[in-house]
Amino acid sequence: MLPRGRPRALGAAALLLVLILMGFFLFGGDLECERREQGDLGSFPCSLTPRVPPDGDLPADHGGRNRSDCVPLRPLPPKCELLHVAMVCAGHNTSRDVVTLVKSMLFFRKNPLHLHLVTDAVARNILETLFHTWMVPAVRVSFYDAEELKPQVSWIPNKHYSGLYGLMKLVLPGALPPALTRVIVLDTDVTFASDIAELWALFAYFSDEQVIGLVENQSDWYLGNLWRNHRPWPALGRGFNTGVILLRLDRLRQAGWEQMWKLTATEELLTLPATSLADQDIFNAVIKRHPGLVLPLPCIWNVQLSDHTLAERCYSEAADLKVIHWNSPKKLYVKNKHVEFFRNLHLTFLEYNGNLLRRELFGCPSPPPPEAEQLQRALAHLSEEDTCLEFRQQQLTVHRVHITFLPHEPPPPRPHDVTLVAQLSMDRLQMLEALCRHWPGPMSLALYLTDAEAQQFLHFVAASAVLSARQDVAYHVVYREGSLYPINQLRNVAMAQALTPYVFLSDIDLLPSYSLYDYLRASIEQLQLDSGRKAALVVPAFETLHYHFSFPNSKAELLALLDAGSLYTFRSHEWPRGYAPTDYARWREAQAPYHVQWAADYEPHVVVPRDCPRYDPRFVGFGWNRVAHIVELDAQVLTLRMAVRVRMGLLFPAKGAQLRGGGEAHSHLHRARLPPSNRSPGIWRTQSLENVPGPPSILLLRRDFCPWGKSLLLSPLDK
């Protein structure tokens, strides 16, 4: 749902004020910076950024250039001017970095943005889904295939950890649309502390010859002699850092940029073995030969936090800071005098609620995406007096979705492979290790988290040897919004990202037996389910009240535990109708899979083809969501077959677990299901609540709760 209202804007303003006050007390000094008169084009009117001398040689320390004694005055671009930003992004971790960078830009921005993202297939899949579900007004996103650009830079040996992707900024003038004349190019490890429009305004300082705007490198790397046999690439003085670049694309194309950088790189590689800092080395070598191409930018637009940084010379107070660049491989763990301040600023945006950034730019007409426009119209028709307003709002909510939040290796293609699918919230994280031990196959898990909880989840996985070792578990973060738990939407996200032919639709607090994964694959092959038969495998489930329990190794051991009262058939005391069609009496004697006849309220855990019908996303909270899905499977003529070999798969609720789905943190939410609307006639019927069987702990929706509360979707028409 698109957020509205003044409290969100006030919260954003309060956050900015807190950051400024923190910096004031940390750095001290007057927040008023003395500004001088505007100078000529091609330079800034202060010692911060002197002109490049005609001979191209810059002294190592030139009169306090790395100081923020003044900030150049230049009018900001028109309020509604579209600003273009380009980034290169590859892989899962860098995709998360992009999100934090974009949050910081959106927090301060007042202009529409067009993001140009050069990505690999992984990053594109992640970011396309994210921006589509984020639905931020006045933000356009274009993607460019990094695979198509690799041949242009693959001939360059590069020792930098970024690999080939670290060289791709060199080819942006040819990769971006020919009509695009100006662009800001950013590394993904920068954080904005100011409006990006201020950076865009620096294009006005370019002389007719200048085509690249860069901040001086804030270390002695390019001065050489940092260690024995240290041979950096040629550069002017300390050289320039390419974490933040202003590019005049039209002039670069006219100047023959592609031939220029390729010739320079070819000649330098005759005496140098490889680049050490990727594209930055080549940019500096070109500038060394053609110093008139560069406009040195104020250092506050790229405060570099490497281990041996000289960035302290750049700023004297927090108000100076514009862009912070974590250009050390250590990132947030770099050693720096003021690293705590910088880290807190970065963490503010890392954990910031991205839903609050769905704010419109007032005074800038920007057509919303069709989906957003439809949602706004639907929201406008809701009544504050509607008893079911909370449910109807949740039904219209579009949650941000960040798929494959952690690095993930897709399983190799296998014709009978099965992915375990489940959903969880923060209070069920402790189930993950046990689940990984019990299920050795691929998993697709949807997590319902806030932005801050998503960071806690990262630390949780990093601290677990079991979870860190599993690269075949795909975690998909659905960001929390609203007060109701979107259980079926979470299931659908996890199902959509499964990559195997079959999915096992489980719950997070149910543990499969150790042999279940192999048994299910063998059953799929034996029953020839991949031959086009519409069938679902029903996995029998059991429960125990014991905190310490050893899984049985055979069906005989399981039956003994059932007879001794240590095990029970699943929910046999609370909700026997939900699992009665499984026919556990028949299962005790069965030696082969058998057909199961559907009955009302049946909600087994099943293995189905990946392309089976999705869950109805209108269901939120706890109750009837899986029942409705099984009804739909049966209506689609999917045969239910029981899996019953001696070495069979078993399911047990986790130790001490009482709730499925959201768990205790959302237990007050487990009460809602959706009204019977928009269903095909002839498939569904309604049943009065007074006649609905089941205990009160399961059926929590009362007749007086909603105007439509007299009926629920329960069962299909009799066949």
Side-chain angles (χ1 to χ4, degrees):
M1 185 172 63
L2 300 180
R4 299 174 291 178
R6 183 176 299 176
R8 300 177 189 271
L10 292 177
L15 174 62
L16 177 59
L17 178 60
V18 168
L19 291 174
I20 293 176
L21 290 176
M22 286 175 58
F24 176 79
F25 289 111
L26 178 62
F27 298 115
D30 188 357
L31 291 181
E32 276 298 320
C33 178
E34 181 180 352
R35 306 182 181 211
R36 305 180 187 177
E37 293 298 323
Q38 179 176 315
D40 297 331
L41 289 176
S43 67
F44 292 100
C46 60
S47 60
L48 195 65
T49 53
R51 276 185 176 277
V52 177
D55 60 5
D57 289 326
L58 287 175
D61 194 356
H62 36 76
R65 173 165 119 182
N66 274 336
R67 297 285 299 175
S68 54
D69 299 327
C70 59
V71 177
L73 287 174
R74 177 64 68 179
L76 293 178
K79 181 178 179 181
C80 297
E81 180 179 348
L82 182 63
L83 311 185
H84 295 268
V85 181
M87 287 174 271
V88 179
C89 174
H92 302 85
N93 295 334
T94 308
S95 298
R96 294 200 309 272
D97 294 337
V98 167
V99 176
T100 306
L101 165 56
V102 170
K103 281 185 184 179
S104 68
M105 282 196 296
L106 294 177
F107 184 86
F108 295 103
R109 64 105 180 214
K110 299 180 181 66
N111 286 70
L113 298 177
H114 188 163
L115 305 181
H116 301 266
L117 305 180
V118 177
T119 62
D120 64 353
V122 170
R124 176 162 187 167
N125 191 30
I126 294 170
L127 296 175
E128 267 191 331
T129 303
L130 178 72
F131 283 109
H132 178 74
T133 54
W134 201 347
M135 302 176 71
V136 182
V139 173
R140 296 170 54 191
V141 184
S142 297
F143 290 91
Y144 307 85
D145 189 357
E147 288 298 320
E148 296 180 0
L149 304 179
K150 281 185 177 180
Q152 300 183 49
V153 295
S154 59
W155 57 275
I156 304 172
N158 178 30
K159 295 189 293 185
H160 194 259
Y161 59 83
S162 58
L164 286 180
Y165 299 100
L167 297 163
M168 287 190 179
K169 285 183 283 186
L170 293 164
V171 303
L172 286 178
L176 297 178
L180 186 58
T181 61
R182 293 179 293 173
V183 68
I184 296 173
V185 184
L186 302 172
D187 279 356
T188 58
D189 56 356
V190 303
T191 307
F192 271 79
S194 183
D195 187 355
I196 193 173
E198 298 177 37
L199 178 59
W200 186 269
L202 301 185
F203 275 115
Y205 285 95
F206 278 63
S207 68
D208 293 339
E209 295 79 24
Q210 291 168 332
V211 296
I212 305 172
L214 293 166
V215 171
E216 184 188 38
N217 197 46
Q218 293 163 10
S219 76
D220 292 335
W221 174 270
Y222 286 109
L223 298 181
N225 300 320
L226 290 183
W227 58 81
R228 186 177 180 181
N229 298 326
H230 174 219
R231 290 186 59 207
W233 280 55
L236 296 179
R238 286 200 172 88
F240 294 91
N241 184 278
T242 56
V244 178
I245 315 175
L246 302 186
L247 291 183
R248 283 297 304 260
L249 297 171
D250 50 347
R251 296 179 183 176
L252 283 166
R253 296 171 185 132
Q254 293 170 5
W257 169 252
E258 182 178 357
Q259 295 77 15
M260 190 184 303
W261 75 259
K262 286 185 177 180
L263 176 62
T264 301
T266 300
E267 294 180 353
E268 295 298 337
L269 286 171
L270 295 175
T271 58
L272 293 165
T275 59
S276 297
L277 301 180
D279 64 85
Q280 182 170 302
D281 285 339
I282 298 176
F283 269 104
N284 275 289
V286 172
I287 292 170
K288 175 71 173 179
R289 298 185 180 198
H290 308 278
L293 297 178
V294 67
L295 170 69
L297 301 178
C299 63
I300 53 178
W301 286 105
N302 186 353
V303 178
Q304 301 149 40
L305 300 181
S306 57
D307 278 329
H308 304 289
T309 183
L310 304 173
E312 287 181 46
R313 303 180 184 181
C314 178
Y315 55 84
S316 60
E317 51 199 36
D320 294 340
L321 302 173
K322 302 293 185 182
V323 175
I324 299 166
H325 185 189
W326 303 90
N327 63 318
S328 166
K330 299 178 183 178
K331 302 305 177 187
L332 298 184
Y333 302 100
V334 68
K335 295 179 180 179
N336 180 274
K337 182 178 181 181
H338 301 123
V339 69
E340 285 299 322
F341 173 81
F342 297 125
R343 187 182 294 125
N344 288 337
L345 178 64
H346 179 80
L347 292 177
T348 297
F349 294 112
L350 194 68
E351 301 182 357
Y352 188 77
N353 184 353
N355 300 329
L356 302 181
L357 298 169
R358 289 168 163 166
R359 54 179 183 249
E360 297 180 12
L361 296 180
F362 296 108
C364 279
S366 177
E371 301 90 342
E373 191 173 6
Q374 294 171 8
L375 284 174
Q376 290 286 24
R377 285 200 300 265
L379 287 168
H381 284 88
L382 296 183
S383 171
E384 297 288 340
E385 298 178 356
D386 187 351
T387 310
C388 285
L389 177 63
E390 183 181 20
F391 296 96
R392 303 193 195 283
Q393 287 178 329
Q394 190 74 42
Q395 184 178 352
L396 294 171
T397 298
V398 177
H399 294 273
R400 279 181 300 138
V401 178
H402 190 137
I403 60 174
T404 51
F405 194 68
L406 288 172
H408 173 245
E409 290 293 333
R414 297 175 185 167
H416 312 113
D417 209 358
V418 182
T419 295
L420 186 148
V421 169
Q423 44 72 37
L424 66 151
S425 52
M426 191 69 180
D427 63 309
R428 284 294 184 265
L429 288 187
Q430 74 275 8
M431 286 300 307
L432 293 178
E433 284 194 354
L435 187 59
C436 283
R437 292 190 181 99
H438 280 252
W439 181 269
M443 288 187 276
S444 181
L445 306 176
L447 298 92
Y448 193 51
L449 306 173
T450 65
D451 292 74
E453 287 174 342
Q455 300 309 310
Q456 297 175 36
F457 166 67
L458 286 178
H459 296 306
F460 181 84
V461 173
S464 168
V466 174
L467 301 183
S468 299
R470 291 292 297 270
Q471 296 294 305
D472 58 349
V473 180
Y475 301 101
H476 318 291
V477 174
V478 178
Y479 287 101
R480 194 192 319 185
E481 184 172 7
S483 59
L484 301 176
Y485 189 79
I487 186 168
N488 275 3
Q489 182 176 348
L490 294 170
R491 286 169 168 157
N492 287 342
V493 168
M495 285 179 66
Q497 299 306 316
L499 301 176
T500 57
Y502 295 88
V503 290
F504 173 33
L505 307 181
S506 184
D507 280 332
I508 193 62
D509 53 1
L510 296 177
L511 291 178
S513 65
Y514 294 105
S515 61
L516 181 57
Y517 174 60
D518 292 332
Y519 173 73
L520 289 178
R521 289 188 299 155
S523 297
I524 292 170
E525 183 176 12
Q526 177 195 9
L527 297 173
Q528 298 180 341
L529 299 186
D530 54 349
S531 61
R533 297 176 59 192
K534 286 190 173 182
L537 285 177
V538 176
V539 180
F542 304 87
E543 64 182 341
T544 180
L545 300 179
H546 297 290
Y547 280 83
H548 300 286
F549 185 85
S550 298
F551 271 64
N553 294 315
S554 67
K555 186 175 181 179
E557 290 184 17
L558 173 67
L559 293 175
L561 291 171
L562 281 170
D563 294 337
S566 298
L567 281 182
Y568 306 92
T569 55
F570 192 55
R571 302 189 70 81
S572 57
H573 298 94
E574 296 90 355
W575 185 233
R577 289 175 60 94
Y579 299 87
T582 298
D583 194 354
Y584 283 95
R586 179 179 179 182
W587 171 84
R588 294 177 66 102
E589 307 299 329
Q591 297 297 317
Y594 58 88
H595 176 73
V596 175
Q597 180 63 46
W598 174 89
D601 308 326
Y602 194 30
E603 54 173 357
H605 301 87
V606 296
V607 176
V608 291
R610 182 180 58 186
D611 59 355
C612 77
R614 295 295 186 254
Y615 289 89
D616 187 338
R618 296 175 300 160
F619 282 82
V620 293
F622 178 75
W624 304 109
N625 42 72
R626 195 165 63 245
V627 170
H629 187 241
I630 295 298
V631 169
E632 185 160 5
L633 293 181
D634 184 71
Q636 296 280 348
V637 201
L638 223 68
T639 303
L640 300 176
R641 296 188 68 88
M642 206 52 207
V644 290
R645 288 210 180 158
V646 174
R647 294 279 298 180
M648 60 163 295
L650 312 172
L651 284 168
F652 295 90
K655 298 172 184 177
Q658 298 297 323
L659 292 173
R660 288 170 292 156
E664 295 176 2
H666 299 285
S667 59
H668 64 291
L669 311 179
H670 294 169
R671 59 182 181 180
R673 69 281 303 150
L674 273 292
S677 60
N678 301 326
R679 276 294 175 188
S680 302
I683 296 181
W684 300 90
R685 72 181 179 193
T686 61
Q687 184 171 334
S688 171
L689 276 182
E690 290 93 332
N691 300 323
V692 172
S697 60
I698 300 300
L699 185 59
L700 297 179
L701 185 63
R702 298 184 300 273
R703 281 190 303 153
D704 58 351
F705 194 76
C706 285
W708 42 262
K710 287 240 178 180
S711 61
L712 283 177
L713 296 177
L714 289 179
S715 57
L717 292 174
D718 296 331
K719 296 180 180 179

